[in-house]
Amino acid sequence: TLVYGAGGSGLMGAVARGMTRGGGYVIGVVPSFFKVDGILYEHCDEIVYTDTMRERKQIMDERSNAVVVTPGGIGTYEEFFEIYTLKQLGKHNKPIVIFNINGYYDELLKLLEHTVQEKFMQESCLRLYTVATTPNQVIEQLNVFTESVSVEDTKYV
């Protein structure tokens, strides 16, 4: 099952089309104001309309068992940092896999390491996510996920 933002284009549209072709179940979660021709993936098995972007993220969080961060724009960063923060605060322990296609997230990963070096984040927070560079690595990391990081080890400074 794919739980995602219901987009019909870009990487997420491609993922949704692949899920449909492979017989997977696709759940799109989207604010009502995105109900515009050409924006949404038209073959979602289920679409959940929300009033706000915040409600959208909450529903996606509640209905998912893992998070895979694919290359994207400001909305992707915002969604990543919220789910990352919630994991650091102990509100969930789902795997977070950053899919670093062609080095797209290299600079973000450096920024997170810099944040640790500057003592604004504990080093243990770098273990709250994994990084994959191929689709097979994403699947492998989701399959071997364990709850190895204690929430107590990641409390913010």
Side-chain angles (χ1 to χ4, degrees):
T1 299
L2 172 66
V3 178
Y4 86 120
S9 62
L11 288 176
M12 290 313 301
V15 169
R17 288 188 298 278
M19 285 291 291
T20 298
R21 277 193 303 275
Y25 191 79
V26 178
I27 301 170
V29 185
V30 62
S32 297
F33 59 82
F34 277 140
K35 202 188 292 187
V36 178
D37 286 346
I39 299 289
L40 304 180
Y41 178 58
E42 59 192 39
H43 300 292
C44 288
D45 296 290
E46 179 182 345
I47 293 189
V48 178
Y49 288 103
T50 65
D51 292 326
T52 66
M53 294 293 279
R54 287 184 180 148
E55 184 184 7
R56 172 193 192 202
K57 289 182 301 182
Q58 180 179 355
I59 290 170
M60 288 193 305
D61 179 30
E62 290 169 354
R63 297 196 62 182
S64 66
N65 295 323
V67 176
V68 178
V69 184
T70 61
I74 192 72
T76 301
Y77 294 130
E78 193 267 339
E79 291 169 354
F80 163 68
F81 277 110
E82 180 167 331
I83 203 75
Y84 185 35
T85 300
L86 290 172
K87 186 168 184 175
Q88 186 260 338
L89 293 172
K91 298 301 180 185
H92 73 86
N93 199 25
K94 300 172 190 180
I96 300 172
V97 180
I98 298 174
F99 191 8
N100 192 22
I101 301 169
N102 296 327
Y104 184 83
Y105 283 117
D106 286 353
E107 297 303 316
L108 174 67
L109 298 169
K110 286 179 190 173
L111 174 65
L112 295 174
E113 290 171 7
H114 177 72
T115 305
V116 169
Q117 290 168 357
E118 294 295 320
K119 304 201 184 315
F120 284 100
M121 183 170 77
Q122 291 186 1
E123 186 173 358
S124 58
C125 290
L126 298 176
R127 296 190 300 271
L128 296 175
Y129 59 85
T130 59
V131 179
T133 57
T134 68
N136 284 341
Q137 286 178 350
V138 171
I139 300 301
E140 288 169 11
Q141 290 176 23
L142 292 174
N143 285 336
V144 300
F145 175 75
T146 61
E147 297 179 7
S148 60
V149 178
S150 164
V151 170
E152 295 305 313
D153 293 339
T154 60
K155 294 293 183 203
Y156 56 91
V157 224

